[in-house]
Every structure is written in C-alpha cells, then in structure tokens.
C-alpha cells in the first residue's frame, strides 16, 4: 500500500471522527426544550429556571470539546491505522455520541434531591467508556501493533501509557465516590475536566522533526 | 477531465458519505429518551429498564460503524465515479440513514412478546437495503462501467462479487428466519455483524503498487 | 491573494455545503416516529400504515441527493468565490435545510383528502426556493461577476442559463397546478426529480483541459 | 513541529468548526413542528400561522451563516493554532450551537405581548456570547500569542481590534435596549446582521503575497 494512501486513510478517520464529535456536541442543545407557560407565568423566570440545563449543556460541550482537542493531538502520534484500530475507534465514538443522554438525565434530575445521586453516578459511569476506549486505542496502537510514529521517544510513550492508566483509575473512582456523595462525584467530574486548562506535555521525538518538512 | 479533478470528486463523495454516516450514527442517541418518573419511582431502576434501548443503540452504532469501515476500504478500489454511481450512492446513503428508525422500533418492542417478531422482521428487512445498494454499486462499478482500479486482479474482483452476492442471500434469509423465530432472526443479525471482527482479504493487484507512490 | 488559497476557499465552501446537505438529508428520518400501539393492535399493520412517511422520506432524500450531486458538478464550473457568492450560497443552503419540514407536512396530510392539496402546494412552494437561489448563484457568478472558469464555452454558459431559467418556470408552474389538482402537482414534482436520471450535458471548454493536469 | 503539520492542524480546526456550524444551522429546522389540526381546521391557515417560526428560522440561519462566512475569512489571518486557542474556539462553538434554543424561544413568544420582551432580551443576550468569544480569540491570537500571519500590517490588526471591540459594545447595547423596547431591540439585532451585506475591508499585508504562491 503506498504511503500516501495510508496517510489519506488516517485523515479520513480523523474527518469521520470530527464529524461524530461535531454532531454529538451540537445535539446537546436539542435537550433544552422551550418552556411552555401557563397563564400569567413569567418567561424570564422560566428561562432562569432552566439553569441545570444550561449548566449541563456547557459542561458536556466542554467535555466533548476537550475529547476532540485531545483526539486531535492523539492522532498526530499515529502514522497508520489498521482494521482493528478502526473498530476500536468506532467503539470510542459510540461512547462519545452517548454523552448527550446522561447529560439530559443530569439536567433533568439535578434539583431532585432523591434522584440526583443516581443521575450523577450514571453520568460518571458514562464518562468511563470514552476514557477506557481511548486507553484501548493507545495500548492497541503502541503495544499490540506499532501504529504510532516510530520516532517517538520510548520515555514519552511510557509517560502517556501511565497517564492514560491513571486517568482510567480516577474516572472509575469518581463513579464510586458518587455512590456516597453526589456533590463530591460531580465536583470530581468538573475537576477532571478543568485539568485540561494546564498545558500538556508535548511529544518528544528521537530525531529532530524539522528536517522532514518536505516529506510530510 | 484532468485526473486530479476526478480524484477530488471521489474524495468529495467520500466526504459527503462520511458526513451522512457520522450523522446517522450520532442520531441514534436521540432515540433514547430521559425517563419521566412518578412520585417515589427510582431513577436507577428506570435507567436500568432502558436496557433494550442501550442494546439497540450499541448494536446499530456497531452496524453503521462497520458499514463505514467497509465503505472506507470499498472506495479505495475505485479510481473514478460517474453520474449513475453518485445516484446509487445516494440510494445507499438513504438506506443507511434509515437505520435509526427500525432501531428504535426494535428498542421499543423488544420486550413485548406479541410484537417482538414484527420488530425483528422490520429490522432485518431494513438491513437488506444497504446490503443490496452496496451490491448494486459494486456491479455497476466493476461490470457495467469500469470505475474500479484497472490494476485489480480479476480473481480478486470475482471473489468480491461472490462475497457480496452471498451477503445479500444471507441478509434476505435472516428476514425469512425472523418470520418463524424472532430470537433466531436477531441472532443471525448479530452473528452477521460479528463476522467483521475477522480480518478481511486485502485487495490483490496485477502490478506492485509501491512503484506508484508519487502518482497517487 | 495567492491562487491556491482561493481554491482552498472554494473547497471549504463545498465542504460546508456538503455538511449541510448531509445533515438535512439525514434529519429526514427524525420525522418518522415509532408508532405507539394500543392493546391488541398489530405492529406490522402500524408499520405498513406509515407508508406516506416512507414515501416522503425516500422522495425528499432523493431530491436533496440530486441537489447535492448537481451542486457537485455546479461547483466544478467555478474558479473562485467572493463575499456575495458566499451569502447567496447561505440562502441556498437555508432553502435546502428547510426541506425536512414540508416533507413531514406532506407525510402527515397525504391521506387527508381535505388537506392534501394544501400540503402539496406547500411542498411545491418550498421546492421553488432552492431552485431560485441556485439560479441567482449562477447569474451572479456567470454574469454579474466572472467567478466561473473563463475557459467555459459561451455557448455552454448560455445553455445552462436557459436550462436554469426553464427549471424555475416549471417549478413555479407546479405550485400553480397544485392549486387545481394535488395529484397532478405531486406528479409534476416527482417527474421533475426523475429527469435527473438522464445524463446531463457535460461542460465544453474553449481549450482542451488535459494539457493542464499539473496546474490543477 | 513541521510547518505543514501545523497547517493541517489549522485545517482540521476549520473542518471541525464547519461541522458544528453546518449542524447548528441545520438543526434550526427541527424547531418548526408540523401543526396538528382539529376537525375542520385549515392546513393553509395553520401553515401561515407559523410565520414567526419561519422568520426566526430565516433570521438565525442568516446569523449563523454570517458567522460562518466570517470565521472563514477570520481563519485566513491565522498561521497557527495552540492549545489555548483551540479551547477558546470550543467556547465560541458552544455559543454558536446554543443559537437554535433562543431562536425557538423567540419563535414561540414573538406574538405573546406579555412575553415578547423577555424572548428578545434572551435572544440578544445569547448573541453576545459568540461575539465575545470571537473577540477573545482575536485578542489571544493577535496580542497574547502571535498566532496571526506576521505579514499582516499593524494598522490592519489595530483596525480589526477596534472593529471587534465596537461590535461587542453594540451587541451588549442591544440587550439593554431590549429591556425598554422589544421592537427596538429586535430591530437592532436585524440591523446588525444586515451590516454584513456591506463589503468588508480586506486584509493588508506588509509584503505582496502573490510572490509566495508556491509556499502556501
């Protein structure tokens, strides 16, 4: 298979994934319904009352947006894809597309003290799937098959493996925490998403890349 | 028409198809509705009760995902497209976009013993359309017009024709089976989708392709 | 402005338009709702009863698909775009995105003898907008500004202008006809869409294009 | 990081943003619901009665379309993107995706004298978010980090900064105006969107760009 065709394949995979990201993120708005008012009710109050929906919209937009930004840098580490990797990516995308559902469950039940805990647990559980699928793609592409750029420094690859593994542990921990305290579980989810404000370690290569400008 | 413009055309067709795939696959989530609870009902139970919806979502995501992965390798066999091929691809995409509807019918009636059989038949019937449209694209592009890569080995082309023909027969058989047993029909649909875990025969060419790197 | 950047602009416009096409065409399925049955009602009958929805889905998918295929060949005639052309294309896309709405009105009232006529008129009227916007893009790009490929033969350009003008007249005629007969109006709409099975006149250029392969 | 890879990154960002634009703009149609009629009601009248929905659809399509056209020229000013810029763009897209919601609130309450003012204020407020996020991207990319094309004339950059700042002030003013008069607030929103019919100042560069054709 010629090199250029393989690269086009990676690009088509990225384009498809971007499409799913873009749609999943935009569908979030469909969960906010226009309030239907009774005689004499104030629209302003009804719109303000929708704050859990705005909050859930903003938060899930942010979370999917972060996954997209990272998918973006993640794929720069790969040189090629294969059948199995494509299938794992489908699973990952299924987990991303699922997010609008737990988001609206959360928005609906955030103010219901008897059910908020269940809603948070469900949300936290749903967040484990994309994180787990991500980790599988990484292990599959860096260990099982060498799909990643062979010029990546082994130290960097080990660092990422460790980081993704920890990420899984923390997301699972958030599910367990939410059994005991919905507020604490939710705080963990928010905290995890805010971590991405920090600059991330950029990939290190065994050889300088700028000598390769014309080849890529 | 310059070669490069023809290739851009194939790419635009792929991009459009990818768009439809990405949207159809992401719309599946809209079929899962937030449960509205009565006083005293448990949210956890209500969310668990939605299992047929989760199952149908996961299964249809998987099926559309597989169609996408295959569309991906399918198009690598084509060198150009024409008016008729574009129209056939529109029919194929109409069949793909339809999938969210039988999926939600299936999710809704999977636990209703009186109607499950109808729901499975309808789902199995709906799966025949994309398989049939796919086969038409293949026959049109490999027999009626030579749109496929002229370097493909005739033996490989015959192998694919046979494989797609068998695929049609099996999908139609699943519809007939579902008339007698919903469970068996559903098992066949699941089994068919699991076949794609197996590695697929990669295309064989009459001449080595890697001498052509700069041309593609 | 460097040539290559202008071309990327045309490509980005195509990509955005393709996105809107892909979404509008896929949203059509959302108009078909899962039937909710009473005790003892047959699911098979209820699914068969949805035939106007399937028909409207298939027809509108076909219509939007044809617009897409043509947008595809249409844009190959253009060399550059400008601010005004982008805005006209936004209007065109607004007309395309609108199609799912008259489609579901048609599906809902196709079997209601008292309202079918209104539903068909509304559908026919809605189809005039994209046709009109298309014609405006063409006049704007071929007459007001020379955005089209300057190598196109003047005879071909005149032929297309005439063809698009006739197209407008016929689509408006279908609206008028539908006032008198819903069936005839609908038949005209279907007939118009079937015209696209015919091969279309391919563009003629003043100079042979194949000497230009490396430049495009 | 090789230059070409950075440019691909900008392109992927554009493609993702285009996806969100295309979906947000197309989802607007979902807010128009098929009227369900009582015995003896006229469909024609019911469809005409939906004029606030058509108006809101057309207006928001136009507004998002304009944002897209401008995002288009905006990104031509940038040479590279970084982590922070990607995150700001996610915020911008969240603001764009939100527009279908205030649009349907506006369509629902435009004819309700008691609530129209609230609906217009909410719409005007929602329009401030994308304008503000846009301004942040500009300041971040032109001041905080030099992500913009270093060949842009400082005078042009200052002009754009001033123009975006004024834009923010006017959009906020429209919110305040809508507190006193819904009609005037709405007129301001429409007026602001019509400004884009005017040709925009094209970027000026320190050196002629056409000597650089082969480099871009």
């Amino acid at each position: 298979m010629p090199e250029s065709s393989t690269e086009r394949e990676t690009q088509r995979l990225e384009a498809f994934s971007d499409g799913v990201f873009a749609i999943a993120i935009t569908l979030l708005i469909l969960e906010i319904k226009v309030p239907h008012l009774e005689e004499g009710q104030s629209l302003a109050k009804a719109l303000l009352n929708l704050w859990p929906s705005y909050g859930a919209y903003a938060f899930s937009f942010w979370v999917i947006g972060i996954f997209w930004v990272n998918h973006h840098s993640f794929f720069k580490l790969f040189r090629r894809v294969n059948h199995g990797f494509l299938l794992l990516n489908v699973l990952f995308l299924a987990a991303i597309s699922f997010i609008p559902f737990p988001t609206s469950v959360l928005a609906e039940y955030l103010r219901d003290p008897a059910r908020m805990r269940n809603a948070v647990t469900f949300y936290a559980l749903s967040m484990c799937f994309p994180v787990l699928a991500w980790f599988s793609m990484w292990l599959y592409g860096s260990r099982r098959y060498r799909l990643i750029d062979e010029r990546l420094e082994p130290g960097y690859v080990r660092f990422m493996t460790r980081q993704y593994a920890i990420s899984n542990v923390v997301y699972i921990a958030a599910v367990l925490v939410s059994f005991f305290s919905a507020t604490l579980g939710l705080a963990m989810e928010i905290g995890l998403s805010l971590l991405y404000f920090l600059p991330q370690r950029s990939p290190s290569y065994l050889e300088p890349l700028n000598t390769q400008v014309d080849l890529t």
Side-chain angles (χ1 to χ4, degrees), chain A residues 25 27-29 31-32 50-66 99 103-104 106-107 110 123 189-190 193-194 197:
Chain A
I25 216 171
L27 287 184
L28 291 167
I29 197 64
E31 305 297 344
I32 314 189
L50 286 173
W51 66 262
S53 292
Y54 305 143
Y57 169 79
F59 183 58
S60 286
F61 206 100
W62 178 249
V63 166
I64 300 183
I66 279 166
I99 295 179
T103 300
S104 35
L106 191 63
L110 198 61
Y123 191 89
E189 292 292 326
I190 294 173
S193 81
L194 294 182
F197 272 120

Side-chain angles (χ1 to χ4, degrees), chain A residues 6 9-10 13 75 78-83 85-86 147:
Chain A
T6 321
E9 217 172 306
T10 318
L13 178 57
F75 268 68
F78 289 83
R79 296 291 282 182
R80 37 192 211 89
V81 296
N82 64 13
H83 191 69
F85 191 81
L86 287 176
L147 306 177

Side-chain angles (χ1 to χ4, degrees), chain A residues 62 71 119 134 152 163 184:
Chain A
W62 178 249
H71 197 260
W134 187 285
L152 280 171
Q163 206 191 39
L184 206 61

Side-chain angles (χ1 to χ4, degrees), chain A residues 36 43 86 96 112 115 119 161 164 176 188 194 196 202 212:
Chain A
H36 293 287
L43 177 58
L86 287 176
I96 289 292
D112 180 337
R115 282 132 179 179
T161 307
Y164 294 144
L176 300 176
M188 269 184 82
L194 294 182
Y196 291 88
S202 43
Q212 311 244 353

Side-chain angles (χ1 to χ4, degrees), chain A residues 124 128 132 166-177 188 192:
Chain A
C128 290
L132 195 65
I166 293 171
S167 190
N168 272 277
V169 171
V170 182
Y171 272 98
I172 293 168
V175 179
L176 300 176
V177 164
M188 269 184 82
L192 278 166

